[in-house]
Each structure stands twice: as structure tokens, then as C-alpha cells.
Amino acid sequence: MTDPISSESVPAKGPLIAGRILSGLVILFLLFDAGLKLVSPETAIRYSPPGLGWPLDVSTMTLLGTLLLIPTLLYIWPRTAILGAILITAYLGGAVATHVRIHSPLFSHILFGVYLGVMLWGGLWLRDPRVRALIPLSKGAIQ
């Protein structure tokens, strides 16, 4: 039996660097967002869009910050990056649903979580052979 994740599936230097940059941008944004909610929840409350339907209080911001920080830390560590990506995707799905519910603008608000999710998974796909084995994008791999 052959290993589906062999040395042949290790990304070339270019895609690996691109994946790390893409993942790094997502990580920086998520750490900033979670950190703001945890360190200065009052500031997060002040700049939250009105009418989201969430209670705008310190305990809610702290909870949301924690629920984002933990999967982001899992995403940073290569051994748990896939689990982190799954949990962040769930968090982003909640953000998308919240904006759909209040009829936010499509391209700037509703789809922002989708953009972030595509960058999250794209960066992981470029740098992790396990993800490329699960999601083959080349024609030769899909048979």
C-alpha cells in the first residue's frame, strides 16, 4: 500500500511560500480580531455594526474573542491546522449568517467571511500535503 502523502506531494518552494504568506495574513487578521475582543472589549463594542442581534457587552465580546482565539492557535500549529481551519470555518459561517439575517451589503459584509475562509483553506492547501490529498484540484488526481 502506498502512502498518499509521499515526498512527491511536498509543495514546491513557490507554493509553500505563497501558502505561508496567505495563511499568515489570515492569522494576523484573526489574532487582531480575537485580541481586540479580549484585551479591549469596549473598543470592539464601540466599532461593532449596529443591529447584529448580539448583546453588545463585555462578556459576549470576551466569549467571541475566546471562541476565535482557540481555533486560530490550533490553525497556527501544523499538527492541528486542519482542525483549526474547520473550527474557524464554523465561526466564519456564523458571521456570514449574522450578516445575512440583518441584510448587510453582500460583497463587503456578507461575503467577507467567505473571502477569509477561501484564504484560510487556500493557504492551508498550498502548504499542507494532507489537505491536497483530501482536496485534489488537478484533473489527473480526480478519477
Side-chain angles (χ1 to χ4, degrees):
M1 186 161 116
T2 61
D3 182 10
I5 305 171
S6 65
S7 60
E8 296 171 6
S9 62
V10 173
K13 190 175 183 179
L16 181 62
I17 291 171
R20 287 180 177 165
I21 290 171
L22 203 53
S23 293
L25 291 172
V26 172
I27 289 166
L28 286 175
F29 175 80
L30 296 176
L31 288 176
F32 174 77
D33 189 27
L36 182 66
K37 287 176 173 65
L38 291 170
V39 174
S40 183
E42 295 84 9
T43 304
I45 291 167
R46 188 176 323 120
Y47 291 104
S48 291
L52 290 178
W54 292 96
L56 293 178
D57 56 30
V58 172
S59 64
T60 301
M61 287 300 146
T62 303
L63 177 62
L64 289 172
T66 303
L67 290 174
L68 182 56
L69 180 62
I70 292 169
T72 301
L73 294 175
L74 290 171
Y75 182 72
I76 292 170
W77 192 32
R79 291 179 57 96
T80 58
I82 293 173
L83 174 61
I86 292 168
L87 295 173
I88 293 167
T89 303
Y91 183 92
L92 294 173
V96 169
T98 297
H99 282 288
V100 166
R101 187 184 64 76
I102 65 168
H103 306 289
S104 292
L106 177 65
F107 294 105
S108 61
H109 291 67
I110 293 174
L111 292 179
F112 184 77
V114 175
Y115 304 147
L116 208 53
V118 168
M119 290 174 60
L120 174 99
W121 283 100
L124 192 55
W125 189 89
L126 286 168
R127 65 184 171 92
D128 192 328
R130 299 173 299 170
V131 177
R132 285 192 308 282
L134 287 172
I135 308 169
L137 296 180
S138 65
K139 289 182 181 180
I142 303 172
Q143 293 178 351

